[in-house]
PDB file of all heavy atoms in Angstrom:
ATOM      1  N   ALA A   1      25.695  96.558-144.036  1.00  0.00           N
ATOM      2  CA  ALA A   1      25.782  95.404-144.944  1.00  0.00           C
ATOM      3  C   ALA A   1      27.164  94.771-145.008  1.00  0.00           C
ATOM      4  O   ALA A   1      27.365  93.764-145.702  1.00  0.00           O
ATOM      5  CB  ALA A   1      25.322  95.828-146.402  1.00  0.00           C
ATOM      6  N   LEU A   2      28.139  95.277-144.225  1.00  0.00           N
ATOM      7  CA  LEU A   2      29.502  94.831-144.396  1.00  0.00           C
ATOM      8  C   LEU A   2      29.925  93.989-143.172  1.00  0.00           C
ATOM      9  O   LEU A   2      29.684  94.475-142.011  1.00  0.00           O
ATOM     10  CB  LEU A   2      30.488  95.925-144.531  1.00  0.00           C
ATOM     11  CG  LEU A   2      30.419  96.766-145.901  1.00  0.00           C
ATOM     12  CD1 LEU A   2      31.403  97.910-145.810  1.00  0.00           C
ATOM     13  CD2 LEU A   2      30.697  95.754-147.035  1.00  0.00           C
ATOM     14  N   PRO A   3      30.568  92.785-143.400  1.00  0.00           N
ATOM     15  CA  PRO A   3      31.198  92.094-142.285  1.00  0.00           C
ATOM     16  C   PRO A   3      32.345  92.950-141.722  1.00  0.00           C
ATOM     17  O   PRO A   3      32.932  93.710-142.430  1.00  0.00           O
ATOM     18  CB  PRO A   3      31.706  90.833-142.949  1.00  0.00           C
ATOM     19  CG  PRO A   3      31.062  90.705-144.272  1.00  0.00           C
ATOM     20  CD  PRO A   3      30.665  92.104-144.681  1.00  0.00           C
ATOM     21  N   VAL A   4      32.600  92.702-140.455  1.00  0.00           N
ATOM     22  CA  VAL A   4      33.726  93.442-139.798  1.00  0.00           C
ATOM     23  C   VAL A   4      34.917  92.471-139.599  1.00  0.00           C
ATOM     24  O   VAL A   4      34.746  91.314-139.211  1.00  0.00           O
ATOM     25  CB  VAL A   4      33.257  93.892-138.392  1.00  0.00           C
ATOM     26  CG1 VAL A   4      34.388  94.689-137.715  1.00  0.00           C
ATOM     27  CG2 VAL A   4      31.990  94.708-138.522  1.00  0.00           C
ATOM     28  N   VAL A   5      36.077  92.938-139.949  1.00  0.00           N
ATOM     29  CA  VAL A   5      37.300  92.161-139.819  1.00  0.00           C
ATOM     30  C   VAL A   5      38.330  92.970-139.051  1.00  0.00           C
ATOM     31  O   VAL A   5      38.228  94.204-138.900  1.00  0.00           O
ATOM     32  CB  VAL A   5      37.888  91.727-141.131  1.00  0.00           C
ATOM     33  CG1 VAL A   5      36.948  90.773-141.886  1.00  0.00           C
ATOM     34  CG2 VAL A   5      38.214  92.923-142.043  1.00  0.00           C
ATOM     35  N   GLY A   6      39.336  92.301-138.595  1.00  0.00           N
ATOM     36  CA  GLY A   6      40.451  92.962-137.821  1.00  0.00           C
ATOM     37  C   GLY A   6      41.417  91.917-137.387  1.00  0.00           C
ATOM     38  O   GLY A   6      41.433  90.766-137.937  1.00  0.00           O
ATOM     39  N   TYR A   7      42.278  92.175-136.480  1.00  0.00           N
ATOM     40  CA  TYR A   7      43.100  91.139-135.854  1.00  0.00           C
ATOM     41  C   TYR A   7      43.325  91.397-134.378  1.00  0.00           C
ATOM     42  O   TYR A   7      43.397  92.591-133.931  1.00  0.00           O
ATOM     43  CB  TYR A   7      44.419  90.886-136.669  1.00  0.00           C
ATOM     44  CG  TYR A   7      45.419  92.029-136.559  1.00  0.00           C
ATOM     45  CD1 TYR A   7      46.366  92.035-135.498  1.00  0.00           C
ATOM     46  CD2 TYR A   7      45.481  93.064-137.500  1.00  0.00           C
ATOM     47  CE1 TYR A   7      47.318  93.049-135.375  1.00  0.00           C
ATOM     48  CE2 TYR A   7      46.475  94.109-137.388  1.00  0.00           C
ATOM     49  CZ  TYR A   7      47.334  94.052-136.368  1.00  0.00           C
ATOM     50  OH  TYR A   7      48.251  95.054-136.241  1.00  0.00           O
ATOM     51  N   GLU A   8      43.476  90.369-133.624  1.00  0.00           N
ATOM     52  CA  GLU A   8      43.719  90.443-132.198  1.00  0.00           C
ATOM     53  C   GLU A   8      44.595  89.251-131.724  1.00  0.00           C
ATOM     54  O   GLU A   8      44.614  88.273-132.449  1.00  0.00           O
ATOM     55  CB  GLU A   8      42.431  90.479-131.418  1.00  0.00           C
ATOM     56  CG  GLU A   8      41.534  91.688-131.672  1.00  0.00           C
ATOM     57  CD  GLU A   8      42.064  93.067-131.141  1.00  0.00           C
ATOM     58  OE1 GLU A   8      43.109  93.039-130.469  1.00  0.00           O
ATOM     59  OE2 GLU A   8      41.426  94.020-131.362  1.00  0.00           O
ATOM     60  N   SER A   9      45.112  89.333-130.562  1.00  0.00           N
ATOM     61  CA  SER A   9      45.884  88.218-129.919  1.00  0.00           C
ATOM     62  C   SER A   9      45.643  88.202-128.438  1.00  0.00           C
ATOM     63  O   SER A   9      45.170  89.235-127.830  1.00  0.00           O
ATOM     64  CB  SER A   9      47.322  88.324-130.281  1.00  0.00           C
ATOM     65  OG  SER A   9      47.934  89.531-129.681  1.00  0.00           O
ATOM     66  N   GLY A  10      45.968  87.123-127.771  1.00  0.00           N
ATOM     67  CA  GLY A  10      45.915  87.002-126.408  1.00  0.00           C
ATOM     68  C   GLY A  10      44.532  87.292-125.753  1.00  0.00           C
ATOM     69  O   GLY A  10      43.564  86.922-126.288  1.00  0.00           O
ATOM     70  N   ASP A  11      44.595  88.011-124.619  1.00  0.00           N
ATOM     71  CA  ASP A  11      43.297  88.373-123.985  1.00  0.00           C
ATOM     72  C   ASP A  11      42.455  89.238-124.833  1.00  0.00           C
ATOM     73  O   ASP A  11      41.252  89.103-124.781  1.00  0.00           O
ATOM     74  CB  ASP A  11      43.645  89.139-122.678  1.00  0.00           C
ATOM     75  CG  ASP A  11      44.320  88.313-121.597  1.00  0.00           C
ATOM     76  OD1 ASP A  11      44.340  87.099-121.777  1.00  0.00           O
ATOM     77  OD2 ASP A  11      44.869  88.900-120.718  1.00  0.00           O
ATOM     78  N   ASP A  12      42.989  90.037-125.698  1.00  0.00           N
ATOM     79  CA  ASP A  12      42.198  90.876-126.564  1.00  0.00           C
ATOM     80  C   ASP A  12      41.405  90.071-127.631  1.00  0.00           C
ATOM     81  O   ASP A  12      40.349  90.388-127.969  1.00  0.00           O
ATOM     82  CB  ASP A  12      42.957  91.916-127.315  1.00  0.00           C
ATOM     83  CG  ASP A  12      43.488  93.020-126.364  1.00  0.00           C
ATOM     84  OD1 ASP A  12      42.909  93.205-125.241  1.00  0.00           O
ATOM     85  OD2 ASP A  12      44.458  93.741-126.708  1.00  0.00           O
ATOM     86  N   LEU A  13      42.006  88.925-127.995  1.00  0.00           N
ATOM     87  CA  LEU A  13      41.311  87.988-128.867  1.00  0.00           C
ATOM     88  C   LEU A  13      40.219  87.298-128.203  1.00  0.00           C
ATOM     89  O   LEU A  13      39.085  87.237-128.748  1.00  0.00           O
ATOM     90  CB  LEU A  13      42.337  86.974-129.480  1.00  0.00           C
ATOM     91  CG  LEU A  13      41.794  85.877-130.324  1.00  0.00           C
ATOM     92  CD1 LEU A  13      41.118  86.392-131.575  1.00  0.00           C
ATOM     93  CD2 LEU A  13      42.834  84.835-130.702  1.00  0.00           C
ATOM     94  N   GLU A  14      40.410  86.931-127.009  1.00  0.00           N
ATOM     95  CA  GLU A  14      39.309  86.263-126.219  1.00  0.00           C
ATOM     96  C   GLU A  14      38.169  87.276-125.989  1.00  0.00           C
ATOM     97  O   GLU A  14      36.967  86.864-126.117  1.00  0.00           O
ATOM     98  CB  GLU A  14      39.885  85.797-124.882  1.00  0.00           C
ATOM     99  CG  GLU A  14      40.904  84.661-124.926  1.00  0.00           C
ATOM    100  CD  GLU A  14      41.360  84.286-123.569  1.00  0.00           C
ATOM    101  OE1 GLU A  14      40.791  84.693-122.555  1.00  0.00           O
ATOM    102  OE2 GLU A  14      42.314  83.430-123.513  1.00  0.00           O
ATOM    103  N   THR A  15      38.437  88.490-125.831  1.00  0.00           N
ATOM    104  CA  THR A  15      37.351  89.508-125.636  1.00  0.00           C
ATOM    105  C   THR A  15      36.647  89.692-126.965  1.00  0.00           C
ATOM    106  O   THR A  15      35.412  89.722-126.948  1.00  0.00           O
ATOM    107  CB  THR A  15      37.967  90.845-125.147  1.00  0.00           C
ATOM    108  OG1 THR A  15      38.684  90.629-123.985  1.00  0.00           O
ATOM    109  CG2 THR A  15      36.895  91.858-124.926  1.00  0.00           C
ATOM    110  N   ALA A  16      37.332  89.761-128.035  1.00  0.00           N
ATOM    111  CA  ALA A  16      36.658  89.958-129.333  1.00  0.00           C
ATOM    112  C   ALA A  16      35.765  88.706-129.650  1.00  0.00           C
ATOM    113  O   ALA A  16      34.630  88.938-130.130  1.00  0.00           O
ATOM    114  CB  ALA A  16      37.702  90.118-130.446  1.00  0.00           C
ATOM    115  N   VAL A  17      36.214  87.556-129.299  1.00  0.00           N
ATOM    116  CA  VAL A  17      35.300  86.399-129.528  1.00  0.00           C
ATOM    117  C   VAL A  17      34.067  86.503-128.706  1.00  0.00           C
ATOM    118  O   VAL A  17      32.976  86.113-129.120  1.00  0.00           O
ATOM    119  CB  VAL A  17      36.086  85.103-129.178  1.00  0.00           C
ATOM    120  CG1 VAL A  17      35.197  83.902-129.104  1.00  0.00           C
ATOM    121  CG2 VAL A  17      37.177  84.818-130.150  1.00  0.00           C
ATOM    122  N   ARG A  18      34.166  87.104-127.515  1.00  0.00           N
ATOM    123  CA  ARG A  18      32.912  87.229-126.690  1.00  0.00           C
ATOM    124  C   ARG A  18      31.918  88.224-127.325  1.00  0.00           C
ATOM    125  O   ARG A  18      30.709  88.168-127.053  1.00  0.00           O
ATOM    126  CB  ARG A  18      33.296  87.783-125.239  1.00  0.00           C
ATOM    127  CG  ARG A  18      33.950  86.755-124.349  1.00  0.00           C
ATOM    128  CD  ARG A  18      33.813  87.092-122.887  1.00  0.00           C
ATOM    129  NE  ARG A  18      34.284  88.456-122.625  1.00  0.00           N
ATOM    130  CZ  ARG A  18      35.495  88.743-122.258  1.00  0.00           C
ATOM    131  NH1 ARG A  18      36.450  87.819-122.279  1.00  0.00           N
ATOM    132  NH2 ARG A  18      35.860  89.999-121.921  1.00  0.00           N
ATOM    133  N   TYR A  19      32.444  89.093-128.171  1.00  0.00           N
ATOM    134  CA  TYR A  19      31.609  90.039-128.778  1.00  0.00           C
ATOM    135  C   TYR A  19      31.258  89.628-130.264  1.00  0.00           C
ATOM    136  O   TYR A  19      30.921  90.520-131.058  1.00  0.00           O
ATOM    137  CB  TYR A  19      32.272  91.483-128.814  1.00  0.00           C
ATOM    138  CG  TYR A  19      32.161  92.072-127.400  1.00  0.00           C
ATOM    139  CD1 TYR A  19      33.228  91.938-126.449  1.00  0.00           C
ATOM    140  CD2 TYR A  19      31.032  92.691-126.924  1.00  0.00           C
ATOM    141  CE1 TYR A  19      33.153  92.409-125.210  1.00  0.00           C
ATOM    142  CE2 TYR A  19      30.918  93.168-125.643  1.00  0.00           C
ATOM    143  CZ  TYR A  19      31.941  93.081-124.795  1.00  0.00           C
ATOM    144  OH  TYR A  19      31.884  93.476-123.514  1.00  0.00           O
ATOM    145  N   GLY A  20      31.319  88.369-130.490  1.00  0.00           N
ATOM    146  CA  GLY A  20      30.738  87.852-131.804  1.00  0.00           C
ATOM    147  C   GLY A  20      31.760  87.660-132.962  1.00  0.00           C
ATOM    148  O   GLY A  20      31.346  87.328-134.062  1.00  0.00           O
ATOM    149  N   PHE A  21      33.027  87.855-132.722  1.00  0.00           N
ATOM    150  CA  PHE A  21      34.054  87.589-133.657  1.00  0.00           C
ATOM    151  C   PHE A  21      34.456  86.144-133.610  1.00  0.00           C
ATOM    152  O   PHE A  21      34.318  85.444-132.689  1.00  0.00           O
ATOM    153  CB  PHE A  21      35.278  88.494-133.440  1.00  0.00           C
ATOM    154  CG  PHE A  21      35.059  89.960-133.833  1.00  0.00           C
ATOM    155  CD1 PHE A  21      34.657  90.814-132.850  1.00  0.00           C
ATOM    156  CD2 PHE A  21      35.320  90.443-135.141  1.00  0.00           C
ATOM    157  CE1 PHE A  21      34.514  92.199-133.178  1.00  0.00           C
ATOM    158  CE2 PHE A  21      35.169  91.744-135.472  1.00  0.00           C
ATOM    159  CZ  PHE A  21      34.762  92.617-134.477  1.00  0.00           C
ATOM    160  N   GLU A  22      34.955  85.679-134.781  1.00  0.00           N
ATOM    161  CA  GLU A  22      35.516  84.322-134.820  1.00  0.00           C
ATOM    162  C   GLU A  22      36.883  84.451-135.521  1.00  0.00           C
ATOM    163  O   GLU A  22      37.113  85.252-136.412  1.00  0.00           O
ATOM    164  CB  GLU A  22      34.682  83.463-135.725  1.00  0.00           C
ATOM    165  CG  GLU A  22      34.486  83.914-137.165  1.00  0.00           C
ATOM    166  CD  GLU A  22      33.765  82.851-137.936  1.00  0.00           C
ATOM    167  OE1 GLU A  22      33.677  81.677-137.579  1.00  0.00           O
ATOM    168  OE2 GLU A  22      33.334  83.232-139.102  1.00  0.00           O
ATOM    169  N   PRO A  23      37.906  83.690-134.979  1.00  0.00           N
ATOM    170  CA  PRO A  23      39.188  83.672-135.638  1.00  0.00           C
ATOM    171  C   PRO A  23      39.089  82.962-136.915  1.00  0.00           C
ATOM    172  O   PRO A  23      38.452  81.950-137.073  1.00  0.00           O
ATOM    173  CB  PRO A  23      40.134  82.892-134.619  1.00  0.00           C
ATOM    174  CG  PRO A  23      39.327  82.878-133.310  1.00  0.00           C
ATOM    175  CD  PRO A  23      37.907  82.909-133.750  1.00  0.00           C
ATOM    176  N   VAL A  24      39.760  83.492-137.993  1.00  0.00           N
ATOM    177  CA  VAL A  24      39.694  82.884-139.307  1.00  0.00           C
ATOM    178  C   VAL A  24      40.989  82.522-139.892  1.00  0.00           C
ATOM    179  O   VAL A  24      41.075  81.893-140.977  1.00  0.00           O
ATOM    180  CB  VAL A  24      38.908  83.795-140.294  1.00  0.00           C
ATOM    181  CG1 VAL A  24      37.407  83.825-139.933  1.00  0.00           C
ATOM    182  CG2 VAL A  24      39.451  85.201-140.409  1.00  0.00           C
ATOM    183  N   GLY A  25      42.145  82.938-139.238  1.00  0.00           N
ATOM    184  CA  GLY A  25      43.483  82.553-139.797  1.00  0.00           C
ATOM    185  C   GLY A  25      44.511  83.363-139.153  1.00  0.00           C
ATOM    186  O   GLY A  25      44.282  84.424-138.669  1.00  0.00           O
ATOM    187  N   PRO A  26      45.808  82.779-139.136  1.00  0.00           N
ATOM    188  CA  PRO A  26      46.879  83.477-138.480  1.00  0.00           C
ATOM    189  C   PRO A  26      47.577  84.552-139.264  1.00  0.00           C
ATOM    190  O   PRO A  26      47.555  84.501-140.515  1.00  0.00           O
ATOM    191  CB  PRO A  26      47.799  82.310-138.215  1.00  0.00           C
ATOM    192  CG  PRO A  26      47.659  81.410-139.370  1.00  0.00           C
ATOM    193  CD  PRO A  26      46.144  81.518-139.718  1.00  0.00           C
ATOM    194  N   LEU A  27      48.202  85.450-138.654  1.00  0.00           N
ATOM    195  CA  LEU A  27      49.156  86.387-139.237  1.00  0.00           C
ATOM    196  C   LEU A  27      50.392  86.499-138.346  1.00  0.00           C
ATOM    197  O   LEU A  27      50.327  86.075-137.155  1.00  0.00           O
ATOM    198  CB  LEU A  27      48.526  87.748-139.430  1.00  0.00           C
ATOM    199  CG  LEU A  27      48.203  88.579-138.156  1.00  0.00           C
ATOM    200  CD1 LEU A  27      48.798  90.017-138.389  1.00  0.00           C
ATOM    201  CD2 LEU A  27      46.683  88.601-137.971  1.00  0.00           C
TER     202      LEU A  27
END
């Protein structure tokens, strides 16, 4: 029942997006 969050950058961010994540803001 819980959304999943985390943070990534570069190639790892692109990979996470392929697995259903969306970027929501910078850090």
Side-chain angles (χ1 to χ4, degrees):
L2 290 178
V4 182
V5 296
Y7 70 87
E8 297 289 356
S9 63
D11 291 344
D12 290 341
L13 175 60
E14 293 181 10
T15 303
V17 169
R18 290 203 304 273
Y19 286 97
F21 286 92
E22 61 173 345
V24 292
L27 68 130

